[in-house]
Amino acid sequence: MNDPFMNLKSSMKKSIFKDLSFSNERKSAVKEAIRTNQQSQFDNWNSETIIAILESVQHESKDGYNISIQLFQKNEHTFQKNEGQLYTLLHLLENKEILTSNWINKKKYYSLNSKGKKYLATYKEDISKQKISLEHLIEEASL
């Protein structure tokens, strides 16, 4: 069967959008709008939320769904209306090498690695010092 949309993207680039371009000013405005939107999403995260996530995977690997259930049981409602933000934060923590992940039976399980264990231990020893470090992590996520 012949798909009429098969070459649509290529054809549009060659004809309709051939001369379309955006000024650097417009590109900057779009990037700023995206960053502002992301910043408002990241403002919901706080040190206690990150620590609650780290504690939830401290002793055993868990998938995002089970992490969210455990957070809810601890009265951590940050992700209640927007569960997708939990996965954004989990990916950030993974990219910062605080969490590691493994795929098992089509589910991604997160666990605490040595850097994450250090974060958690330091937080419990010196809350003020670790809180600053976690706030820096949150700020970095919004860039």
Side-chain angles (χ1 to χ4, degrees):
M1 192 167 182
N2 192 6
D3 183 3
F5 297 108
M6 195 160 111
N7 295 318
L8 180 63
K9 184 177 179 181
S10 175
S11 296
M12 289 178 76
K13 279 186 176 180
K14 291 177 184 174
S15 59
I16 298 170
F17 297 115
K18 179 177 75 172
D19 297 321
L20 184 66
S21 65
F22 294 101
S23 68
N24 286 336
E25 183 179 318
R26 181 65 184 147
K27 289 177 187 177
S28 295
V30 169
K31 287 178 184 177
E32 180 62 27
I34 291 169
R35 192 179 67 71
T36 302
N37 185 31
Q38 286 177 336
Q39 179 63 42
S40 66
Q41 293 171 346
F42 295 127
D43 286 342
N44 294 329
W45 300 344
N46 57 40
S47 301
E48 290 77 24
T49 302
I50 295 173
I51 293 302
I53 290 171
L54 298 182
E55 287 176 337
S56 72
V57 296
Q58 182 177 11
H59 300 293
E60 65 177 317
S61 297
K62 292 188 177 119
D63 64 342
Y65 177 74
N66 286 313
I67 292 170
S68 69
I69 288 174
Q70 190 167 8
L71 291 173
F72 185 72
Q73 289 171 344
K74 290 182 173 183
N75 288 325
E76 173 61 59
H77 300 286
T78 302
F79 306 106
Q80 188 173 7
K81 301 270 186 201
N82 191 358
E83 292 83 7
Q85 285 299 307
L86 171 61
Y87 292 96
T88 301
L89 182 53
L90 289 170
H91 290 295
L92 171 71
L93 293 171
E94 186 179 10
N95 287 339
K96 294 296 174 188
E97 299 176 353
I98 295 170
L99 295 178
T100 58
S101 66
N102 291 311
W103 286 92
I104 303 171
N105 297 327
K106 298 183 181 181
K107 289 184 180 181
K108 192 172 186 178
Y109 286 82
Y110 298 90
S111 58
L112 208 56
N113 64 16
S114 58
K115 187 175 178 182
K117 289 175 185 174
K118 184 178 177 182
Y119 259 89
L120 208 51
T122 305
Y123 184 82
K124 290 177 181 178
E125 290 173 10
D126 188 356
I127 292 174
S128 61
K129 184 178 178 182
Q130 191 61 19
K131 191 171 186 174
I132 293 169
S133 177
L134 290 172
E135 287 172 359
H136 176 71
L137 181 69
I138 294 168
E139 285 176 22
E140 196 174 299
S142 65
L143 298 176

